[in-house]
Amino acid sequence: MTRPLPLTCLLLGLLVLASLCTGAASMSPLHLLGDPEGLRLLLLSRVPRTAAAMLSGAAMAVAGVILQLLVRNRFVEPGTTGTVEAAMLGLLAVTMLSPGAPILAKMAVAAAAALAGMAGFLALIRRLPPEEPLMVPLVGIIYSGIIGAGTTFVAYQADLLQYLGTWMNGEFSGVLAGRYELLWLAGLVAGLAYLYADRFTIAGLGRTASIGLGLNYAQTLWIGLLTVSVVTAMVVVTVGAIPFVGLVVPNIVARIMGDNLRGSLPVMAAMGAALVLGSDVLGRIIRFPYEIPAGTIFGAVGAAVFLWLLLGPKPRAR
């Protein structure tokens, strides 16, 4: 029997080594550690970049599975529910109204906007027939598109399209020591979700069943939504949006390990970290010494996987 966590951690470890040794300045591991300039490059750029990619991937994967359980639909994630676009709109608003605001204030506004965006999505899907689960992601994509179009229009009017483009394309080339530490807080928030894993699993049974089992459904719902909004805002503010991580990773892990969230959550976090880091490394290699944003790489692969999940064979009941 395969053990997903050790295999995923092994893959992640190999990708970490590849990330530390890959860049415009080609250096061997011995050079990076033995040369003062190489060590400086390692500590100021490559270690922060590697950590940022891992934290972003792990946090977005955890946010995705929480949202899927709360919405009770496998085909949603922050990028297909208007959450990411709403966070961008909030970030755009605070940039226009208070450009000198500290990063934590911008993150708080973006998180509040993301939470409002999710609330709007939940209000929409309540009107959908439960026997049509594929309507949920389709409505979410349309809803996201509307918010995104409005955000683009406002950015165009305010001559801030360049900022919006940065937030839309998740990439790690600008990550340096001192400019990514907010992601450690995102990782901590995602890690705290492990404490609520059993409650989120019960909430995934639905409101009536959850209350019947003694769960405070409303409290669990808001804790989950707040976790998703905070994680999404931190990632968007720091490195930009990385699409489909929260959709692809939970579905892959669920097909391997089933629906035991407490058992599968560490695997999801490790796989999210590995896939995003792998996309970043691949983006550095394809057009070396130029780079393709990790969000572009993962977006292309994630879109294909999303279509396969929608149209492909359904997993066997476990």
Side-chain angles (χ1 to χ4, degrees), residues 44-198:
L44 292 181
S45 177
R46 294 193 182 175
V47 168
R49 179 171 186 162
T50 301
M54 292 169 59
L55 290 167
S56 299
M60 291 304 294
V62 172
V65 72
I66 292 173
L67 192 56
Q68 288 175 12
L69 286 171
L70 298 180
V71 176
R72 301 181 67 195
N73 192 292
R74 289 283 189 192
F75 304 116
V76 300
E77 63 117 24
T80 60
T81 58
T83 308
V84 170
E85 288 75 11
M88 291 182 190
L89 182 58
L91 188 55
L92 179 64
V94 74
T95 300
M96 293 171 55
L97 299 175
S98 181
I103 190 68
L104 285 177
K106 292 181 178 180
M107 185 276 294
V109 173
L115 188 60
M118 274 191 294
F121 173 73
L122 292 176
L124 282 175
I125 64 172
R126 285 197 186 100
R127 301 175 179 270
L128 299 178
E131 64 273 10
E132 295 289 344
L134 294 184
M135 288 292 292
V136 174
L138 295 179
V139 169
I141 291 172
I142 295 172
Y143 176 66
S144 301
I146 293 173
I147 298 177
T151 304
T152 302
F153 176 77
V154 174
Y156 175 77
Q157 294 294 320
D159 196 21
L160 292 173
L161 282 177
Q162 184 176 3
Y163 285 91
L164 188 61
T166 302
W167 302 329
M168 291 177 65
N169 295 313
E171 58 97 19
F172 302 93
S173 62
V175 173
L176 296 171
R179 298 184 185 178
Y180 83 104
E181 282 75 10
L182 197 63
L183 289 174
W184 286 105
L185 184 57
L188 176 62
V189 172
L192 291 176
Y194 185 79
L195 302 177
Y196 279 81
D198 294 334

Side-chain angles (χ1 to χ4, degrees), residues 189-212:
V189 172
L192 291 176
Y194 185 79
L195 302 177
Y196 279 81
D198 294 334
R199 299 184 189 184
F200 291 141
T201 301
I202 296 173
L205 299 175
R207 179 185 181 89
T208 303
S210 300
I211 294 175

